[in-house]
């Protein structure tokens, strides 16, 4: 490949990673781009997990052999089997060296350093590959992992020029990974409540819309638990907002703990003293059981005055739920009723007979509903 071809390959790799929407897409774009640029038959991207002392494969692309999954769940190798990850990929940088790529063949060492790595050679032979080029990936000045590209047995062996080009590709991959991590952090912050670390209202809105679509299409049970933390204003007024924040954080932990009783539940702070659990796929009774535990634990907190909790589930007799807004109104109405009754257990929409007051409230025109909710809170209309 000439200089123009290599430049085009670098641009294509960078564009592929820039277009990725998730870390997985970014990893795949990196490996595919490098594989094509180096005319390889297979490529992998791996990360060095220092705390676990292992090199974990994130993605495998190209001609995979038996046991090589595209996104492996547990393909990892102890770094002592690949000493260059800690020696060559770290110590040489500290000494002022460069993280240059090198080549291994099924017959032994080839271009570059650090030299013969028998585990890699054995792997090449076992998988019917003739050679590989290994390029360190450096992110923020530290060894992040490696880019690995292989060719099939019988194909031309990588040379020094290929190793140098792999070094360039690895730096492009590192830049793409840094951008991907920044975007992922921005997404996380956009959907996370800063005080409690729970999901925020935006995250709930997005997930609830998706969940209701699954309910309409496949009949999946969707449940929403809406909670109002009692006594927060009193705590803020008498003990200060720092203590009030501690109450919010503490209740957030309790909510997360109870949400863990329900597979895949999303624990969120809607704002102020309002929280919720969004549950998809669990039976309504299981959700009510978790909400009951939530009320019990909230009542035992050293701060605050417990929680008013409302539950609405498509698994209960609440009528057709065709929109996220209706399920939210039902759960919200149940929570208001719990608040008015000073209930220490959750109020569940649809469980008080044909003329269920929560369902009736939720389905009233908005203006009337507001007045009714004020009555629930014990306020004049």
């Amino acid at each position: 490949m000439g200089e123009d071809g290599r430049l085009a390959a670098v641009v294509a790799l960078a564009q592929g990673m820039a277009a990725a929407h998730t870390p997985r897409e970014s990893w795949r774009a990196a490996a595919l781009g490098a594989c094509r640029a180096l005319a390889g038959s297979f490529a992998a991207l791996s990360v060095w997990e220092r705390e676990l002392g292992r090199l974990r494969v994130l993605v495998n692309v190209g001609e995979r052999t038996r046991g090589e999954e595209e996104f492996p769940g547990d393909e990892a190798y102890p770094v002592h089997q690949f000493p260059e990850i800690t020696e060559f990929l770290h110590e040489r940088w500290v000494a002022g060296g460069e993280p240059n790529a090198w080549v291994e063949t099924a017959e032994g060492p080839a271009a570059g350093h650090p030299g013969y790595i028998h585990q890699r050679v054995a792997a090449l032979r076992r998988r019917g590959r003739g050679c590989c080029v290994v390029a360190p990936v450096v992110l923020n000045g530290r060894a992040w992992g490696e880019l690995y590209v292989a060719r099939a047995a019988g194909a031309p062996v990588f040379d020094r020029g290929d190793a140098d080009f792999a070094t360039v590709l690895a730096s492009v991959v590192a830049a793409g990974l840094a951008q991907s991590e920044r975007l992922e952090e921005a997404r996380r912050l956009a959907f996370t409540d800063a005080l409690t670390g729970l999901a925020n209202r935006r995250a709930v809105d997005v997930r609830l819309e998706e969940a209701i679509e699954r309910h309409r299409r496949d009949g999946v049970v969707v449940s929403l638990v809406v909670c109002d933390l009692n006594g927060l204003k009193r705590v803020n007024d008498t003990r200060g907002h720092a203590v009030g924040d501690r109450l919010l954080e503490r209740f957030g932990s309790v909510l997360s703990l109870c949400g863990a009783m329900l597979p895949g539940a999303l624990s969120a702070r809607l704002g102020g003293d309002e929280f919720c659990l969004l549950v998809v796929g669990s039976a309504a009774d299981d959700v009510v059981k978790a909400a009951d535990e939530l009320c019990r634990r909230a009542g035992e907190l050293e701060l605050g005055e417990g929680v008013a909790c409302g539950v609405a589930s498509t698994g209960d007799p609440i009528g057709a739920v065709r929109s996220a807004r209706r399920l939210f109104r039902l759960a919200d109405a149940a929570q208001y009723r719990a608040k008015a009754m000073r209930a220490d257990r959750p109020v569940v929409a649809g469980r008080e007979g044909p003329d269920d007051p929560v369902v009736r409230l939720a389905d009233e025109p908005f203006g009337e509903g507001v007045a009714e909710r004020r009555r629930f809170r014990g306020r004049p209309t």
Side-chain angles (χ1 to χ4, degrees):
M1 182 184 295
E3 289 300 317
D4 289 345
R6 288 190 166 179
L7 177 59
V10 168
V11 171
L13 190 158
Q15 289 176 336
M17 294 190 72
H21 297 292
T22 66
R24 276 192 168 196
E25 289 179 6
S26 181
W27 303 337
R28 188 174 187 274
L32 275 176
C35 192
R36 291 166 181 161
L38 287 162
S41 61
F42 170 86
L45 183 67
S46 304
V47 61
W48 177 18
E49 296 182 329
R50 286 174 171 80
E51 71 279 10
L52 299 177
R54 67 181 190 175
L55 195 64
R56 180 169 64 89
V57 179
L58 299 174
V59 63
N60 293 309
V61 301
E63 298 173 8
R64 305 195 304 273
T65 61
R66 184 177 179 181
E68 289 178 328
E69 300 176 10
E70 183 174 24
F71 294 105
D74 57 0
E75 185 181 352
Y77 305 94
V79 293
H80 71 262
Q81 292 183 2
F82 302 96
E84 75 278 5
I85 196 68
T86 53
E87 296 171 4
F88 178 71
L89 301 192
H90 179 67
E91 292 174 7
R92 285 186 53 162
W93 300 339
V94 173
E98 292 296 325
N100 296 323
W102 69 91
V103 176
E104 299 284 347
T105 77
E107 305 304 320
H113 295 280
Y116 181 80
I117 303 297
H118 69 274
Q119 288 87 353
R120 294 191 191 278
V121 172
L124 287 171
R125 293 172 180 168
R126 186 171 63 251
R127 291 166 178 162
R129 294 166 185 149
C131 62
C132 67
V133 59
V134 184
V137 177
V138 184
L139 198 59
N140 301 321
R142 299 183 68 190
W144 180 90
E146 69 172 38
L147 180 65
Y148 174 100
V149 181
R151 286 177 178 168
V157 173
F158 290 115
D159 59 22
R160 180 66 262 173
D162 293 318
D164 291 341
F165 185 39
T167 300
V168 173
L169 294 173
S171 68
V172 175
V173 168
L177 290 170
Q179 176 68 9
S180 177
E181 288 187 359
R182 285 193 292 270
L183 289 173
E184 195 63 21
E185 178 65 8
R187 292 189 190 102
R188 187 190 68 79
L189 292 173
F191 291 97
T192 303
D193 176 64
L195 177 64
T196 63
L198 301 177
N200 62 14
R201 177 62 186 261
R202 184 182 292 110
V204 174
D205 288 343
V206 171
R207 289 276 293 272
L208 185 56
E209 288 288 350
E210 294 172 349
I212 293 300
E213 177 58 31
R214 286 186 61 193
H215 170 69
R216 288 195 300 256
R217 185 181 66 243
D218 305 322
V220 174
V221 174
V222 181
S223 305
L224 197 62
V225 181
V226 173
C227 314
D228 190 275
L229 188 57
N230 296 327
L232 177 63
K233 185 177 186 303
R234 191 190 312 278
V235 171
N236 284 335
D237 290 346
T238 60
R239 304 186 63 178
H241 286 271
V243 178
D245 285 351
R246 192 161 75 243
L247 170 58
L248 289 168
E249 291 178 291
R250 184 73 184 88
F251 179 72
S253 297
V254 170
L255 182 70
S256 180
L257 185 151
C258 293
M261 298 169 60
L262 304 162
L266 179 72
S267 302
R269 181 187 178 201
L270 299 175
D273 57 3
E274 290 201 327
F275 294 76
C276 84
L277 282 175
L278 171 58
V279 189
V280 182
S282 295
D285 285 345
D286 291 340
V287 176
V288 173
K289 182 179 179 181
D292 200 40
E293 178 69 7
L294 177 63
C295 289
R296 185 187 70 78
R297 287 178 176 270
E300 295 175 352
L301 291 176
E302 66 278 10
L303 296 169
E305 300 164 15
V307 65
C309 185
V311 182
S313 174
T314 61
D316 281 322
I318 56 175
V321 177
R322 297 187 177 88
S323 70
R325 182 170 178 270
R326 182 165 190 266
L327 190 65
F328 224 121
R329 282 174 65 89
L330 284 160
D332 199 33
Q335 179 261 311
Y336 270 92
R337 183 165 173 81
K339 191 87 165 179
M341 296 168 59
R342 303 184 187 280
D344 60 359
R345 299 189 64 182
V347 169
V348 185
R351 296 198 174 186
E352 293 189 43
D355 193 32
D356 185 276
V358 172
V359 176
R360 177 165 45 84
L361 168 61
D363 291 340
E364 283 179 350
F366 183 71
E368 297 176 27
V370 170
E372 183 68 15
R373 289 179 186 185
R374 287 174 182 161
R375 282 197 292 274
F376 275 359
R377 286 178 174 267
R379 299 173 182 170
T381 55

